[in-house]
Amino acid sequence: MILIVDDDVMIVEVLRKWLERDGQQVEVCFNGKDAYDCVKDPRCRCVVLDVNMPVLNGIQLLLLMQAEGIRTPVVLMAGFKDFDEQEMGQFTNVVRFFQKPFSMEEMVAAVRDALRP
């Protein structure tokens, strides 16, 4: 299962359609707090995670995952220029970083790559 976490409903729905069209099973959450329970599910094989969200943001979720040893691959996305790939290197499970807007083809390819053993 691929978990999409973003508070932007339009982005979530577009990503869901693209990933389902690629043959992936997809779950969605609209904040990091709800996603926290989902990332513990052993069926969760990859997380597509936004940085800036209400309740619990993407960085806070990454810190919780790291503290608990949850090593699920994360494809991170951000809608602002305050974060870059180099800064996200502190999180070993972040496999790719996208600035919004991004190419859906590249996002699907990044998720596919993250799922490889």
Side-chain angles (χ1 to χ4, degrees), residues 39-58:
V39 298
K40 296 180 201 176
D41 186 327
R43 296 174 302 140
C44 184
R45 298 178 51 222
C46 180
V47 181
V48 179
L49 178 63
D50 186 31
V51 170
N52 192 17
M53 295 180 296
V55 185
L56 186 74
N57 70 38

